[in-house]
Amino acid sequence: MGSEEKVSQLAIQEYLDEVASLEMPRSFSQWYNVDVASLLNGSSIVGHELDPDSGTSLIFLKRSAMLCCPQSGRIHHFPKHLLHCFVDDNRTNQKDAGGVIMRAELFSISPKEEQLCWECSCRSELEVPEIQSKVSRWLSWLNE
């Protein structure tokens, strides 16, 4: 096994370990460890994000992203060139934004039922650096 393949396997295992740490139904965990893991075999994960509330995850690959939705059992694949990023910085006009200070969205241009809409937001100034860091990673990945 080459060093690149070892690094790839390590990234997949780190992702699966983080998914396993979420509180979710056993069926979701099994789906990730069997179905999603088998699809990732041989892939190189650049990064990932998890939504602990829904169990949904977004996996960043070199030229695409995969959205894994355990509730529906669907895995969506999005080529990188169809993804875009928007950031709304409402620190100067918080009243108009319903209390959301900053909101960022990574989304796709694709058929309605297949769209990516990965969003993060914050209502506290203390959370702004976390959102900015996340958007920085998104933009860095998009521009590779």
Side-chain angles (χ1 to χ4, degrees), residues 9-40:
Q9 287 298 323
L10 178 62
I12 292 169
Q13 191 58 53
E14 287 174 348
Y15 163 72
L16 293 171
D17 289 346
E18 194 170 329
V19 167
S21 71
L22 296 176
E23 290 185 30
M24 66 175 125
R26 189 173 194 280
S27 61
F28 290 7
S29 296
Q30 288 177 324
W31 179 76
Y32 270 113
N33 285 310
V34 175
D35 298 319
V36 176
S38 66
L39 289 176
L40 290 173

Side-chain angles (χ1 to χ4, degrees), residues 107-121:
F107 68 96
S108 68
I109 299 174
S110 53
K112 185 177 181 181
E113 296 298 316
E114 301 296 324
Q115 292 178 348
L116 172 67
C117 180
W118 193 259
E119 189 176 316
C120 60
S121 62

